[in-house]
Amino acid sequence: MTTRRLRDPRLIPLVFGPVIGVLAVLETRLDDGFGAAATATWVTGVLLAAGVVLAAWAPLAGAVAAAVCLPLSVVVFDGPGMGGAGMIGLIGVVAWVGWREPPRRSAVALGVAAVSFTVVSIAAGGSAWELFFVPAVLLPGWSMGLLARRSGERAVRLAELAAALDAEREANAQAAVAQERTRIAREVHDAVAHSVSVMTLQLGGLRRLLADRPAEQEVVAGLERLGRQTVEEMRGLVGILRERVDGGETAPVPSLERVEELVGDVRAAGLPVRLDVAADLPRLPPVLDLTAYRVLQEALTNVLRHAGAAPTTVVLGREGQALLLEVRNDPAPATAPAVGRPAGVAAGGGHGLVGMRERLAMVQGTLRTGPEPDGGFAVRARFPLPRTWERTTA
């Protein structure tokens, strides 16, 4: 609460006003040149200071009240006008109203103060130079107030723009996650539905072989019906997400078995890629195989997008019960040539690191990305291999 009060802009005139009043009194007490006009001068200064304090709540009214004090001091107190403290106070209150009020309203305070200065100068028998100079000194104060107001408005607009950009970035990230999950759902549907369909066909063949064993045949028939029902339910729940492209050719199934083809497409686009594949890679489950292919595809797309023709190394290996994938590129050349995106890369539109993390989370994998000490960038993914799958395919 204390910090909030200290940031209240009304503290400026609440402090500045009393200071002007004290200075007005000290000025007349310490300077014998005021003579008999000393009382009229410091009273005018104190009244002007009261107008400055009023400007804390009503900037325009306070500025006008402070400016009117000048001719009143001549008419009521028969004084010479105001001293240096009063001039400083009037310049300050004009700057304040220029900051706190719109330009058209603050110009009213500037005009009233200039007229008051002029009236006092004429009444005091001032020279033509004073008639020009005294009102002109108010203009810099008013201009400073306008500059402060415009800077504040610009800061508010920038803050609102930054908040809008943050909100849009967050919305885009959430949309990217939702879209990537939709793509993953379609691909999982393809992989799992295919496996269940093959299993159902094999059960149908086994059922026909058990014609002389009705008990076993009934069990197999039940499993076959369950398999067909599962496929139909998957088509109803997930199949609606499939993209239908009328007249389009069926794309090959994404798989690490086609990694040479993928790397070849990238090389054809102008990106030098070195591929290092371990000889002991196992046959992967369909979902994991698809996920690893998509992560590699997106990583190569990011190299094309952000590093141009930087030499890149792709490593596929195995560490215990896990598949390791690494895509590491050298620093981007200072004058990187334009590199096109081949048709086989990022087909369907990926979402960079967001999409990679979503896919790794689906298979309980881990993803590490970041800059390299030499200035390059690396993407390292680890895909755990199911032990049941390892035993089945051994």
Side-chain angles (χ1 to χ4, degrees):
M1 189 65 180
T2 302
T3 304
R4 184 180 303 175
R5 288 179 177 176
L6 291 176
R7 292 179 180 177
D8 190 345
R10 288 181 297 182
L11 286 177
I12 297 176
L14 290 178
V15 174
F16 183 63
V19 169
I20 292 300
V22 173
L23 290 177
V25 174
L26 293 176
E27 181 183 22
T28 57
R29 291 289 184 268
L30 299 177
D31 189 353
D32 296 334
F34 285 96
T39 301
T41 302
W42 73 257
V43 170
T44 301
V46 171
L47 292 176
L48 189 146
V52 174
V53 173
L54 175 61
W57 293 275
L60 181 57
V64 171
V68 170
C69 290
L70 302 182
L72 285 180
S73 68
V74 177
V75 175
V76 177
F77 301 107
D78 195 22
M82 68 174 180
M87 181 178 292
I88 294 173
L90 195 56
I91 295 174
V93 76
V94 168
W96 167 259
V97 75
W99 177 35
R100 302 301 293 175
E101 295 287 348
R104 290 185 179 181
R105 288 175 58 84
S106 61
V108 174
L110 175 65
V112 173
V115 171
S116 297
F117 260 134
T118 304
V119 170
V120 171
S121 297
I122 294 174
S127 63
W129 165 249
E130 291 179 344
L131 293 177
F132 168 76
F133 172 76
V134 175
V137 296
L138 297 172
L139 189 60
W142 183 66
S143 300
M144 291 177 60
L146 287 183
L147 289 176
R149 179 179 180 84
R150 289 172 182 171
S151 297
E153 291 174 347
R154 187 178 297 111
V156 171
R157 288 196 298 269
L158 289 176
E160 292 175 350
L161 179 60
L165 290 176
D166 288 341
E168 183 179 359
R169 189 182 301 111
E170 181 68 20
N172 289 338
Q174 293 178 358
V177 170
Q179 184 175 350
E180 194 65 24
R181 287 176 178 175
T182 300
R183 294 182 61 213
I184 294 171
R186 290 197 305 267
E187 292 169 353
V188 170
H189 167 262
D190 291 342
V192 176
H194 173 74
S195 299
V196 175
S197 297
V198 172
M199 179 183 66
T200 303
L201 291 175
Q202 292 175 343
L203 287 172
L206 178 60
R207 176 176 52 81
R208 287 188 290 271
L209 294 176
L210 297 175
D212 56 342
R213 304 174 64 177
E216 289 82 353
Q217 190 179 42
E218 183 178 354
V219 173
V220 173
L223 293 174
E224 185 181 0
R225 286 193 301 272
L226 180 60
R228 296 184 187 280
Q229 181 182 355
T230 301
V231 173
E232 292 299 325
E233 289 177 352
M234 288 187 61
R235 287 174 179 171
L237 293 175
V238 187
I240 192 173
L241 300 175
R242 293 179 56 86
E243 293 179 354
R244 295 186 176 90
V245 182
D246 295 335
E249 296 181 358
T250 303
V253 178
S255 170
L256 285 183
E257 295 180 357
R258 300 177 51 234
V259 65
E260 289 283 358
E261 179 182 341
L262 176 60
V263 172
D265 291 338
V266 175
R267 288 171 180 159
L271 180 67
V273 180
R274 183 175 67 87
L275 178 61
D276 184 3
V277 180
D280 61 341
L281 288 184
R283 188 167 68 88
L284 303 175
V287 174
L288 194 150
D289 190 18
L290 171 63
T291 301
Y293 180 90
R294 290 302 192 195
V295 170
L296 172 59
Q297 190 180 54
E298 192 62 47
L300 291 175
T301 301
N302 287 344
V303 175
L304 287 170
R305 183 183 299 119
H306 301 294
T312 302
T313 301
V314 175
V315 179
L316 280 170
R318 181 175 180 176
E319 183 182 75
Q321 198 69 18
L323 171 71
L324 301 182
L325 168 63
E326 179 180 279
V327 179
R328 184 178 64 255
N329 63 270
D330 293 345
T335 56
V339 177
R341 183 183 302 171
V345 176
H351 296 287
L353 300 181
V354 173
M356 293 185 198
R357 290 194 177 94
E358 284 298 317
R359 291 182 178 275
L360 266 297
M362 184 184 67
V363 295
Q364 288 78 47
T366 57
L367 179 69
R368 292 189 296 114
T369 63
E372 294 288 276
D374 62 355
F377 195 87
V379 173
R380 296 181 175 90
R382 185 178 187 276
F383 304 84
L385 298 172
R387 295 186 182 276
T388 54
W389 177 266
E390 188 75 8
R391 288 196 299 268
T392 303
T393 58

